[in-house]
Amino acid sequence: MRTSPTVVDRGLSLLRRPLPRSTSRTPLVAGEVVPELAERLGRPLRVAVVRNDGIGDWILTLPVLTALDASEHVGTVTIVAPAGYRKLLAPSDRFAYLDFTEGTIIAPPAPGGTLGKVRAVAFPTGSSALASGALHRDEFDLVVLPRWDSDLGFNARAWAVGTDSPIVGQDPAAVPGTTGRERRESGLLDLAVHDPDAARHEVEHHQALLAALGLPTAVAQAFGSAFLGIEPAPAGVRDTVVVHASSNEPKRQWPIERWKELIGLMLERFDGQVLVIGSPADTESIHQIVSGFPERVEGAPGSIPLGDLPRTLAEKARLFVGNDSGPAHIAASVGVPVVVVSPHPLDGDATHRNSPSRFRPWGDAVRVVQPAHALGPCTDACTATSAHCIAQVTVADVATAVDSLV
């Protein structure tokens, strides 16, 4: 079963004005875009990659950035993303960075750029994003829109249209949960990559995009290590289990008392430390989790800036265990084995935005623990505003997944 548009989706679609786009554009040929465009211009390309999404979504986009950066036909790559991700995605001057965007209302990360998924709420008309993109007209030879699904309001697409540059992106006509008006915006793209399998993993959608761009499609297991220039410490040196027991959505929050019980089991079975991480907003819950344990268990709310998290995990973590959130994607991308607790039912809608089929961390050493079925009144996905379907996941379920990786 595919996701249908919600009432909010339909309302935003009606409010959104049509985006202006010239019809006299030179066609782009799938499989040859980057080399052919560079040959046409007689120089390496200036490419912008635009997403108005969360941390995990951007981590899954790193293979696209890596392939563009490695191409002899590309001169500069500019990341257009929420301001709070700058130190994570562009820690050096290898990539340019533009904050996305005057057309969104951003709830920024906690002070210091610490953990937590930024939630961006778009103005429904897209007019501000369109105007923001227009400020960068003539700066780019190509704009790439890697998100297979849509950000709220499709503002990434509006920003791209504002630049008046050639646009390559995933075909919105193939996206579940969108309205007819939104699907017709495929005409705004100079090349719409039609990948019809809605349940494919986001990285696999990116591979289809890379193929259309004429770039290599191979994706390494720990692709974040190479992108960020991080050399993971030997497995024998990493003795810490890192726990991220927080979530930006209550329905993704496995109960605190179960995290506490799981940590107790891990202390009995494994040597080494347990480090519970989170944002300053998680201070109280982290204190509840670590209280009563010996010194081997440490809480670190807000003490690891987002830009430092990949290296910290690569150097210390033998295992990462957490809710479905951005830090799990960061851990997997630098080669740390990951266990994720998900609220999405195993027999649920595989196209849903919470489906592990689409958005689990990438890698072979990843285990996702899910409830077998939704808990009524939920059906194809958890729609609750509190820990609901996820509460069916037991400590024994998660401990079994942990044992399989340690």
Side-chain angles (χ1 to χ4, degrees):
M1 179 177 179
R2 287 166 64 95
T3 305
S4 299
T6 66
V7 173
V8 174
D9 292 329
R10 293 189 178 97
L12 289 175
S13 178
L14 291 172
L15 287 170
R16 181 182 179 82
R17 71 180 186 181
L19 296 173
R21 187 71 165 154
S22 169
T23 56
S24 57
R25 309 187 67 83
T26 303
L28 299 177
V29 179
E32 303 176 12
V33 172
V34 168
E36 193 278 332
L37 194 54
E39 182 179 0
R40 187 190 308 172
L41 295 174
R43 56 173 171 78
L45 303 180
R46 303 164 300 169
V47 181
V49 181
V50 189
R51 290 196 75 147
N52 186 25
D53 293 305
I55 294 169
D57 303 301
W58 264 107
I59 291 297
L60 295 177
T61 306
L62 295 187
V64 175
L65 297 176
T66 299
L68 285 166
D69 183 52
S71 173
E72 63 179 330
H73 304 294
V74 175
T76 60
V77 179
T78 299
I79 297 168
V80 186
Y85 305 168
R86 183 184 292 262
K87 292 183 178 180
L88 174 66
L89 298 175
S92 68
D93 59 1
R94 187 165 129 227
F95 294 91
Y97 198 101
L98 290 175
D99 297 343
F100 191 106
T101 174
E102 292 88 341
T104 58
I105 305 166
I106 297 293
T114 51
L115 306 177
K117 183 175 180 180
V118 171
R119 300 302 302 276
V121 180
F123 288 147
T125 63
S127 57
S128 296
L130 184 71
S132 178
L135 296 175
H136 303 281
R137 187 165 294 191
D138 300 323
E139 293 182 16
F140 303 110
D141 305 308
L142 177 67
V143 176
V144 177
L145 303 178
R147 182 168 177 97
W148 183 82
D149 207 328
S150 61
D151 62 10
L152 183 59
F154 286 98
N155 273 355
R157 194 173 302 132
W159 191 96
V161 169
T163 68
D164 198 32
S165 306
I167 304 171
V168 175
Q170 305 286 0
D171 187 352
V175 175
T178 54
T179 65
R181 182 172 182 176
E182 290 167 333
R183 289 192 292 272
R184 287 192 293 273
E185 289 193 349
S186 60
L188 299 172
L189 277 59
D190 295 270
L191 179 61
V193 181
H194 191 83
D195 191 356
D197 185 353
R200 291 181 75 187
H201 192 276
E202 188 84 342
V203 169
E204 294 172 318
H205 288 304
H206 292 342
Q207 290 174 309
L209 178 62
L210 288 171
L213 290 170
L215 298 173
T217 61
V219 176
Q221 288 286 306
F223 53 72
S225 297
F227 178 86
L228 297 168
I230 294 172
E231 187 68 34
V237 174
R238 294 179 276 126
D239 67 347
T240 301
V241 175
V242 175
V243 172
H244 182 243
S246 311
S247 175
N248 67 307
E249 286 187 279
K251 71 176 182 180
R252 300 191 198 193
Q253 178 69 62
W254 199 43
I256 286 176
E257 62 272 14
R258 298 193 192 173
W259 283 114
K260 197 174 183 76
E261 185 178 346
L262 177 68
I263 290 172
L265 283 177
M266 290 192 294
L267 290 177
E268 293 175 2
R269 298 181 186 185
F270 315 123
D271 296 327
Q273 306 293 117
V274 175
L275 179 65
V276 184
I277 63 173
S279 74
D282 303 318
T283 299
E284 183 178 347
S285 61
I286 290 177
H287 176 73
Q288 291 179 40
I289 291 171
V290 304
S291 63
F293 283 120
E295 292 182 356
R296 286 172 58 196
V297 180
E298 179 185 356
S303 65
I304 306 174
L306 183 60
D308 295 341
L309 183 59
R311 187 171 300 277
T312 299
L313 292 170
E315 292 177 350
K316 292 185 176 181
R318 66 184 295 190
L319 176 71
F320 179 99
V321 190
N323 292 314
D324 179 16
S325 62
H329 289 279
I330 294 173
S333 79
V334 295
V336 177
V338 169
V339 174
V340 169
V341 186
S342 169
H344 194 71
L346 194 59
D347 63 352
D349 177 6
T351 72
H352 191 270
R353 68 182 182 88
N354 293 144
S355 170
S357 296
R358 292 182 56 196
F359 290 114
R360 71 189 182 278
W362 181 258
D364 292 336
V366 173
R367 305 289 183 268
V368 179
V369 189
Q370 304 169 250
H373 312 286
L375 184 64
C378 300
T379 54
D380 296 317
C382 187
T383 58
T385 56
S386 60
H388 181 243
C389 296
I390 199 171
Q392 299 177 91
V393 176
T394 68
V395 173
D397 293 334
V398 181
T400 298
V402 168
D403 289 341
S404 73
L405 293 175
V406 176

